[in-house]
Amino acid sequence: MRASQFHIGTLKEAPSDAEIVSHQLMTRAGMIRKLAGGIYNYMPIGLRVIRKVEAIIREEMNRAGALELLMPVVQPAELWMESGRWEQYGPELLRMKDRHGRDFVLQPTSEEVITDIARNEIHSWRQLPKNFYHIQTKFRDERRPRFGVMRGREFTMKDAYSFDRDEAGAQKSYDAMYDAYMRIFTRMGLTFRAVAADTGSIGGTRSHEFQVIADTGEDLIVYNPATQYAANIELAEAPCLVAQRAAPGRALEKTPTPGATKCEAVAQMLGLPLASHVKSLALAVEPEEPGKPVQIWLLLVRADHELNEIKAGKIPGLDRGYRFATDAEIVEHFGCVPGFIGPVGTAKPVKVVADRTVANLHDFVTGANQADHHYVGVNWGRDLPEPDLVADLRNVVDGDPSPDGSGPLAIQRGIEVGHVFFLGTKYSEALKATYLDETGKPALLQMGCYGIGVTRLLGAAIEQHHDGRGIIWPRALAPFEVVVCPVGWGKSEAVREAATKLYEGLKEAGVDAILDDRDERPGVMFADWELIGVPVRVTIGDRGLKEGQIELQGRRDEAAAKIPVGEALAATLARLAQAN
Amino acid sequence: MRASQFHIGTLKEAPSDAEIVSHQLMTRAGMIRKLAGGIYNYMPIGLRVIRKVEAIIREEMNRAGALELLMPVVQPAELWMESGRWEQYGPELLRMKDRHGRDFVLQPTSEEVITDIARNEIHSWRQLPKNFYHIQTKFRDERRPRFGVMRGREFTMKDAYSFDRDEAGAQKSYDAMYDAYMRIFTRMGLTFRAVAADTGSIGGTRSHEFQVIADTGEDLIVYNPATQYAANIELAEAPCLVAQRAAPGRALEKTPTPGATKCEAVAQMLGLPLASHVKSLALAVEPEEPGKPVQIWLLLVRADHELNEIKAGKIPGLDRGYRFATDAEIVEHFGCVPGFIGPVGTAKPVKVVADRTVANLHDFVTGANQADHHYVGVNWGRDLPEPDLVADLRNVVDGDPSPDGSGPLAIQRGIEVGHVFFLGTKYSEALKATYLDETGKPALLQMGCYGIGVTRLLGAAIEQHHDGRGIIWPRALAPFEVVVCPVGWGKSEAVREAATKLYEGLKEAGVDAILDDRDERPGVMFADWELIGVPVRVTIGDRGLKEGQIELQGRRDEAAAKIPVGEALAATLARLAQAN
């Protein structure tokens, strides 16, 4: 490609709504242009990266035996009613009516349609296993789209769906996808981690996320640096940090803590370590039958820990859905304003759930259910009954012992770019997707589903690979692998010849190269290509040519290396081979 | 690909709503599955053909210097309001609201968005010319979707948009796209014709359609077999068939023609040739200001000709939009029931437009504006005033002299698969898309737009290439180029070895081959692959192998040729090279 024939739309300034670096850099590099909130045009340089991402995904999906098909963007509501998601899915599901008033949705994902295909196409166990995928436009009507392609409304996703005879087969399909994902993200040159994850609204029994490691990631990943253990903090098991509950060492005492509604303030006021304080969180569950009272729960975590709302949502009784209690509900049940509540002596009975660590504490501090007062020296059994339930309620923290028993856990941030789900029969049951087994009897298809956020990957790769000058693409994703920058294109025949020869040589060698024949000043060229993030740059100018030299610089290199003109092609290829 | 790993969904019966052969065969071959009216799943074998179509288009678009980008499926209404098409476009434009109540459309085409991109990205004449294209999902909410992928609602289209400094530049861009389209459809192995066409709702000043020739086509193409002249019948110029008007030869006479409302019946009743009759068509134009009367026009074409409604719509006065007059309007203006009206002695004045040929007739027959009566021996000037306007009003008929002056025209049917438009400044003016010219002054961008119906091409290719057994793919579009059919796969080690060796050899030679390892009977295999339309089939069985032979058969061949086993690969490659 010659730059004069291409469209380079680099910008000096990022748009004011670009909060994160990938959004800023993708816009400044001319990769994307906003059309509406969360809806982007992918400009030629951005689309080149998308096509490389798609090609890698496609190759590895095919290698794993998956079959590509294409399901429509516009899907009839009937199938979504059949699965129940027409009701369950919130306003993120964009619904619309056609000219005849029939209901349709813009697909956010395709479980319904693929299960419909499977129930029509798969008749016999002989046809199994099968894995179908497509790379298609998705739409999720996010309430507040932001972060560029990271949380857009219209985006491209690869979604695959496996069908098997039984759980063992489905596990094999799951494992094959897991392995394919490992190859895909490795080939892309990304630092990533596969982590056990919560299944969320897709459902199913187990899942793994593939997280690109980046300080700016929205997800927290818990991992054991010494082993394979890794999980999303939503799921990562937090152990009990106190092996055995000690006997009470001090008497229960009500202490004034004027204005101290936060544990940190109480700890400071009382001169006690934060880890001896217990945080009390009041939750409310709406009644199952109208007219019955709201149920109030009290969840207890150590003051230096944080409640994990996903874990809380899995507790029997809270799994129907919960919310935080209102101030009025707190006053009614605890006889006290928020900030000073606790499990000792509530005004009305509440369900008490203690985190594993809290359950083994002794002599701890809690709110006293009286404004501006806390209890010190609280002990289970003596000052209050044993908790109704002990459960893992908190987020793992750095240094917690690993659930696999070997060493401490670490935490890092990640960006979810892939997710594999073991679905089981959730959708095949709802849509009655069966096959005839070896005995001729109908059996439900066992399913898995497997997503990769194609356009989101661009943002994730940039969050991981950039510096103050711009993007630093891994070679496999770069819009161009090499840029040839002739200095004085318009003036010097020698420069034009040398640059064109190298460019043609690179093309013949199968390198995705661009020749910057715009006749721009070196500063403009360099700034553009560093912003765009091309891995290797070759500069050819009259001064160097007189000395028989060209300049070669990797995007991460501090300075350019001088190379004899005669070795230009070989040296560029060698430098490129070193680029990730 | 091995068939056992693939999904082959051939069906014995076509769905009852499949009216045309491509719809029937695409469904029976397992290429498509209907999800909703006009919305299809593209199954793996169908998607393989789509990908080949897309690859050819992409290569030739890139070769022509066009730049690929990707514009969203969901587009904000504001841009459509700016161009005026939010109002002009009918219910085929699917409109919807997002969760915040903002208006969006599902794109049927992207003139608005690309013009918005151009006005933001193109600042200077130095950036011109530019041609941007994308291959993207489109949606048109057809009132009555039918004919499978030929008139679907969701479909894939390649649409390109060129931007130039002036008309001459825009013409060059147009010509480059015309040439690229010629290469694209030639490479696809299709018999097609580029024809001058009407610009319709897209607008602009001139256009060409690319029509795949097929008896089942919806379009009529007029062409001169001796020259390059070709046009859609909507546009093709119809000459005057009577060089000079002869002097009246007989007196005007009112003749009873009881019950004969059609010219054919009148001609038979009177024993006069149909070509001496004139058909009278009453049109109505709504008043420009409410309250004013409806305007009635009388259009006259020779009885053996047909009115061309598009040509009528271009006549000054009718170009505001017209409809056929109601019975009441006819009675009011002609003083006579429909079927017997004519230009002589109307009850109220009407605008009379005569087709070129009608204007030179003498002694002709028309309705007498009296029930059950016609005039014979009608002559211009003598019996009625000269027409208000003489114009080309009719469809060309087979044998009409060609407008280029050399020989008679012929007519054939075609399926529109591509369309190039010279847009001029229609959209750049509406959206104020300007660039700074060499003098530093803003000037409007000159535009062209260029579409290819990607998914529609599958249907068109099949309408042109099929027989009683199924599809006959041109090699360039075939889902697989060669199928290797082992007879007795499960039983014979020799068959498995020979078939696998040939299959591997084909793959190494870069052939897109499939090995049918399903262990099906020959009849089942042959029926499947003839239905699917693979260009070359190789059959390998124990009986043949004993004689050292395999069987090779092109999809159009009457019988298989026996080939020595040792020459299997070379012979297959040679046979494939002959396949279109």
Side-chain angles (χ1 to χ4, degrees):
Chain A
M1 179 63 73
R2 284 163 187 262
S4 63
Q5 312 292 310
F6 196 62
H7 177 69
I8 295 169
T10 50
L11 301 173
K12 291 244 183 301
E13 300 291 334
S16 57
D17 68 343
E19 300 169 43
I20 59 170
V21 73
S22 61
H23 188 186
Q24 293 160 6
L25 289 177
M26 286 181 78
T27 308
R28 287 191 52 215
M31 295 178 67
I32 54 171
R33 291 293 183 254
K34 182 173 162 179
L35 179 61
I39 302 178
Y40 292 90
N41 294 304
Y42 290 92
M43 300 299 289
I45 210 156
L47 186 62
R48 290 181 77 91
V49 181
I50 292 181
R51 293 285 181 248
K52 293 193 182 190
V53 167
E54 289 177 346
I56 292 172
I57 292 174
R58 194 168 273 131
E59 276 178 38
E60 295 299 337
M61 290 301 292
N62 293 349
R63 187 198 307 271
L67 297 172
E68 189 174 3
L69 44 62
L70 191 65
M71 292 176 277
V73 175
V74 176
Q75 302 185 344
E78 286 78 3
L79 286 176
W80 287 75
M81 293 171 179
E82 221 178 321
S83 74
R85 290 210 292 182
W86 177 259
E87 307 294 335
Q88 290 157 21
Y89 226 108
E92 283 177 22
L93 182 66
L94 191 64
R95 297 149 213 252
M96 61 208 179
K97 283 181 191 296
D98 75 359
R99 65 192 289 165
H100 302 298
R102 293 191 202 100
D103 287 311
F104 286 85
V105 307
L106 276 194
Q107 66 145 355
T109 168
S110 282
E111 280 80 7
E112 282 78 3
V113 172
I114 198 71
T115 308
D116 180 53
I117 289 176
R119 69 181 169 185
N120 292 321
E121 297 284 317
I122 298 179
H123 316 294
S124 154
W125 61 273
R126 287 189 188 81
Q127 292 172 275
L128 299 172
K130 275 283 177 310
N131 186 335
F132 295 109
Y133 75 98
H134 68 166
I135 299 178
Q136 177 64 302
T137 303
K138 302 284 185 296
F139 200 93
R140 288 189 193 163
D141 199 4
E142 297 273 351
R143 195 179 57 80
R144 196 187 148 216
R146 62 205 151 126
F147 302 152
V149 298
M150 303 280 271
R151 193 168 292 282
R153 295 202 284 178
E154 182 170 327
F155 57 97
T156 303
M157 189 166 103
K158 186 284 297 173
D159 38 329
Y161 305 89
S162 66
F163 297 91
D164 278 276
R165 298 164 64 181
D166 49 32
E167 277 208 38
Q171 184 63 48
K172 262 195 204 172
S173 294
Y174 183 94
D175 294 344
M177 283 296 101
Y178 183 101
D179 293 344
Y181 278 34
M182 295 296 287
R183 285 195 298 272
I184 286 167
F185 300 120
T186 302
R187 279 185 61 183
M188 290 179 183
L190 299 172
T191 304
F192 69 98
R193 213 179 267 286
V195 307
D198 188 56
T199 53
S201 71
I202 297 286
T205 52
R206 53 189 171 278
S207 81
H208 282 89
E209 291 167 350
F210 290 77
Q211 295 269 359
V212 167
I213 306 307
D215 292 342
T216 52
E218 283 191 286
D219 286 326
L220 284 170
I221 302 164
V222 175
Y223 68 104
N224 184 338
T227 70
Q228 294 293 325
Y229 179 82
N232 190 306
I233 201 160
E234 294 177 345
L235 189 77
E237 194 181 342
C240 173
L241 296 180
V242 180
Q244 227 178 331
R245 192 195 293 168
R250 52 187 296 179
L252 182 70
E253 187 189 342
K254 191 184 281 183
T255 314
T257 50
T261 58
K262 300 275 174 207
C263 292
E264 288 76 7
V266 177
Q268 208 179 358
M269 198 173 278
L270 302 181
L272 289 170
L274 190 58
S276 65
H277 291 67
V278 167
K279 208 167 0 187
S280 295
L281 299 134
L283 306 183
V285 176
E286 296 291 339
E288 280 187 282
E289 289 167 46
K292 296 234 170 165
V294 166
Q295 225 179 49
I296 301 296
W297 294 58
L298 183 66
L299 270 58
L300 305 175
V301 295
R302 212 170 70 178
D304 56 339
H305 289 154
E306 269 184 13
L307 177 71
N308 181 314
E309 296 181 22
I310 302 234
K311 289 178 181 175
K314 288 175 183 166
I315 289 173
L318 293 179
D319 56 2
R320 288 202 286 122
Y322 69 84
R323 57 173 173 78
F324 284 91
T326 62
D327 285 4
E329 286 165 345
I330 286 175
V331 169
E332 179 190 346
H333 286 82
F334 295 89
C336 163
V337 293
F340 301 95
I341 65 170
V344 182
T346 59
K348 287 189 173 181
V350 299
K351 281 263 215 180
V352 175
V353 188
D355 179 61
R356 291 166 170 176
T357 298
V358 170
N360 276 6
L361 291 183
H362 71 291
D363 295 343
F364 51 95
V365 180
T366 72
N369 292 323
Q370 181 184 338
D372 296 329
H373 285 81
H374 278 77
Y375 280 123
V376 176
V378 181
N379 282 278
W380 294 108
R382 186 190 73 183
D383 309 320
L384 76 172
E386 294 292 333
D388 296 307
L389 192 71
V390 176
D392 175 11
L393 282 186
R394 68 175 176 94
N395 284 335
V396 165
V397 294
D398 196 90
D400 272 351
S402 176
D404 63 3
S406 55
L409 291 170
I411 294 183
Q412 59 190 177
R413 289 195 163 269
I415 300 165
E416 183 194 339
V417 291
H419 206 154
V420 294
F421 293 91
F422 189 100
L423 287 176
T425 57
K426 173 176 171 175
Y427 293 92
S428 54
E429 216 172 316
L431 275 80
K432 300 182 189 61
T434 60
Y435 68 98
L436 295 181
D437 68 14
E438 283 186 83
T439 68
K441 279 188 203 131
L444 287 175
L445 288 161
Q446 288 281 343
M447 291 174 59
C449 74
Y450 317 96
I452 294 182
V454 172
T455 38
R456 176 175 247 232
L457 259 166
L458 275 61
I462 293 171
E463 292 291 334
Q464 189 173 80
H465 295 280
H466 67 273
D467 64 12
R469 290 172 294 160
I471 303 166
I472 307 175
W473 286 111
R475 178 183 177 180
L477 302 185
F480 299 101
E481 294 173 304
V482 174
V483 56
V484 178
C485 293
V487 178
W489 173 266
K491 276 182 263 172
S492 165
E493 177 70 26
V495 164
R496 279 199 299 277
E497 253 179 45
T500 305
K501 188 182 163 195
L502 175 60
Y503 167 66
E504 297 290 345
L506 287 167
K507 275 209 305 182
E508 265 171 50
V511 172
D512 192 2
I514 184 161
L515 172 65
D516 192 344
D517 59 348
R518 293 177 296 165
D519 201 23
E520 289 283 4
R521 286 175 298 108
V524 171
M525 284 194 285
F526 295 172
D528 275 350
W529 298 114
E530 284 173 352
L531 177 57
I532 290 167
V534 174
V536 174
R537 183 176 81 212
V538 187
T539 309
I540 300 179
D542 261 331
R543 201 181 311 170
L545 286 181
K546 271 175 204 145
E547 295 163 15
Q549 286 180 328
I550 59 138
E551 289 190 359
L552 187 58
Q553 185 164 8
R555 177 64 180 79
R556 290 183 191 275
D557 298 347
E558 298 259 320
K562 298 200 171 183
I563 306 285
V565 174
E567 294 167 25
L569 179 58
T572 306
L573 293 175
R575 184 68 194 77
L576 184 61
Q578 289 162 29
N580 165 343
Chain B
M1 181 62 73
R2 285 164 186 260
S4 63
Q5 312 293 311
F6 196 62
H7 177 69
I8 296 169
T10 51
L11 301 173
K12 292 243 184 303
E13 301 290 335
S16 57
D17 68 343
E19 300 169 44
I20 59 170
V21 73
S22 60
H23 187 185
Q24 293 160 5
L25 289 177
M26 286 181 78
T27 308
R28 288 191 52 216
M31 295 178 68
I32 54 171
R33 291 294 183 254
K34 182 173 163 179
L35 179 61
I39 302 178
Y40 292 90
N41 294 304
Y42 291 91
M43 300 299 288
I45 210 157
L47 185 63
R48 290 182 76 91
V49 181
I50 292 180
R51 293 285 181 247
K52 293 194 181 187
V53 167
E54 290 177 348
I56 291 172
I57 292 173
R58 194 169 273 131
E59 277 178 37
E60 295 299 339
M61 291 301 292
N62 293 349
R63 187 198 308 270
L67 296 173
E68 189 175 3
L69 45 61
L70 191 64
M71 292 176 276
V73 175
V74 176
Q75 303 184 343
E78 285 78 4
L79 286 176
W80 287 75
M81 291 170 179
E82 219 177 323
S83 75
R85 290 209 294 182
W86 176 259
E87 306 295 335
Q88 290 157 21
Y89 226 108
E92 283 177 23
L93 182 65
L94 191 64
R95 297 148 213 252
M96 61 210 178
K97 284 182 191 293
D98 74 359
R99 65 193 288 166
H100 302 297
R102 293 190 202 101
D103 287 311
F104 286 85
V105 308
L106 275 194
Q107 67 146 352
T109 168
S110 283
E111 279 80 7
E112 283 78 3
V113 172
I114 199 72
T115 308
D116 180 52
I117 288 175
R119 69 181 169 185
N120 291 319
E121 298 284 317
I122 298 178
H123 315 293
S124 154
W125 62 273
R126 287 190 188 82
Q127 291 172 276
L128 298 172
K130 274 284 177 306
N131 186 335
F132 295 109
Y133 75 99
H134 68 166
I135 300 178
Q136 177 65 301
T137 302
K138 301 283 185 298
F139 200 93
R140 289 189 192 163
D141 200 4
E142 296 273 352
R143 195 178 59 78
R144 197 187 148 215
R146 62 205 149 126
F147 303 151
V149 299
M150 303 282 270
R151 192 167 292 281
R153 295 202 283 176
E154 182 170 327
F155 56 97
T156 303
M157 191 166 102
K158 185 285 296 175
D159 38 329
Y161 305 88
S162 65
F163 297 91
D164 278 275
R165 298 164 63 180
D166 48 31
E167 277 208 39
Q171 184 63 49
K172 262 195 204 172
S173 294
Y174 183 94
D175 294 343
M177 282 295 102
Y178 184 102
D179 293 345
Y181 278 34
M182 295 297 285
R183 285 194 300 271
I184 286 168
F185 300 120
T186 302
R187 279 185 62 183
M188 289 181 184
L190 299 172
T191 304
F192 68 97
R193 211 179 268 284
V195 308
D198 188 56
T199 53
S201 71
I202 297 285
T205 52
R206 53 190 172 279
S207 81
H208 282 89
E209 291 167 349
F210 290 77
Q211 295 270 359
V212 167
I213 307 306
D215 292 340
T216 51
E218 283 191 287
D219 285 327
L220 284 170
I221 302 164
V222 175
Y223 68 102
N224 183 339
T227 69
Q228 293 293 326
Y229 179 83
N232 191 307
I233 200 159
E234 293 177 345
L235 189 78
E237 193 181 343
C240 174
L241 296 181
V242 179
Q244 226 177 334
R245 191 195 293 170
R250 51 189 295 179
L252 182 71
E253 185 189 342
K254 192 184 281 182
T255 315
T257 50
T261 58
K262 299 276 174 208
C263 291
E264 288 75 6
V266 179
Q268 207 179 0
M269 199 175 277
L270 302 181
L272 288 170
L274 190 59
S276 65
H277 291 65
V278 167
K279 208 166 4 186
S280 296
L281 299 134
L283 305 184
V285 176
E286 295 292 338
E288 278 187 283
E289 290 167 45
K292 296 233 171 169
V294 166
Q295 226 179 50
I296 300 297
W297 293 58
L298 184 66
L299 271 59
L300 304 175
V301 295
R302 211 169 70 177
D304 56 339
H305 289 155
E306 268 184 15
L307 177 70
N308 181 315
E309 296 181 23
I310 303 234
K311 289 178 180 176
K314 290 176 182 166
I315 289 173
L318 293 179
D319 56 3
R320 289 202 286 121
Y322 68 84
R323 56 173 172 79
F324 284 91
T326 62
D327 286 4
E329 286 165 345
I330 287 174
V331 169
E332 179 190 345
H333 286 81
F334 295 90
C336 164
V337 292
F340 301 94
I341 65 170
V344 183
T346 58
K348 287 189 173 180
V350 298
K351 280 263 215 180
V352 174
V353 188
D355 178 61
R356 290 165 170 176
T357 298
V358 170
N360 277 6
L361 291 182
H362 71 290
D363 295 343
F364 51 96
V365 181
T366 73
N369 292 324
Q370 180 183 339
D372 297 329
H373 285 80
H374 278 77
Y375 280 123
V376 174
V378 181
N379 281 278
W380 294 109
R382 186 190 73 182
D383 310 320
L384 75 172
E386 293 292 333
D388 297 307
L389 192 72
V390 176
D392 175 11
L393 283 186
R394 68 175 176 95
N395 283 335
V396 165
V397 294
D398 196 272
D400 272 351
S402 177
D404 62 5
S406 56
L409 291 171
I411 295 182
Q412 60 190 179
R413 288 195 163 270
I415 301 166
E416 183 193 339
V417 291
H419 206 154
V420 295
F421 293 90
F422 191 99
L423 286 177
T425 58
K426 173 175 172 178
Y427 292 92
S428 53
E429 215 170 318
L431 274 79
K432 299 183 190 60
T434 60
Y435 68 98
L436 294 182
D437 68 15
E438 283 184 84
T439 68
K441 280 190 202 129
L444 287 175
L445 287 161
Q446 288 281 343
M447 290 175 58
C449 74
Y450 316 96
I452 293 182
V454 172
T455 38
R456 177 175 246 230
L457 259 167
L458 274 60
I462 294 171
E463 291 291 334
Q464 189 173 80
H465 295 281
H466 68 272
D467 63 13
R469 289 172 294 160
I471 304 165
I472 307 175
W473 286 112
R475 178 183 176 181
L477 303 185
F480 298 100
E481 294 174 305
V482 174
V483 57
V484 178
C485 292
V487 178
W489 174 266
K491 277 182 263 174
S492 165
E493 177 68 27
V495 164
R496 280 199 299 277
E497 253 178 45
T500 306
K501 189 182 163 194
L502 175 60
Y503 167 66
E504 297 290 345
L506 287 167
K507 274 209 304 183
E508 266 171 50
V511 173
D512 192 1
I514 184 163
L515 173 64
D516 192 344
D517 59 349
R518 293 177 295 164
D519 200 24
E520 289 282 5
R521 286 176 297 109
V524 172
M525 284 194 286
F526 295 172
D528 276 350
W529 298 113
E530 285 174 351
L531 177 57
I532 291 167
V534 174
V536 174
R537 182 177 81 214
V538 187
T539 309
I540 299 179
D542 261 331
R543 201 181 310 170
L545 286 181
K546 271 175 203 145
E547 295 162 15
Q549 287 180 327
I550 60 136
E551 290 191 358
L552 187 58
Q553 186 164 8
R555 178 62 181 79
R556 290 182 192 274
D557 298 347
E558 297 260 318
K562 298 200 171 184
I563 306 286
V565 175
E567 294 166 26
L569 179 58
T572 307
L573 294 175
R575 184 68 193 77
L576 184 61
Q578 291 162 29
N580 165 344

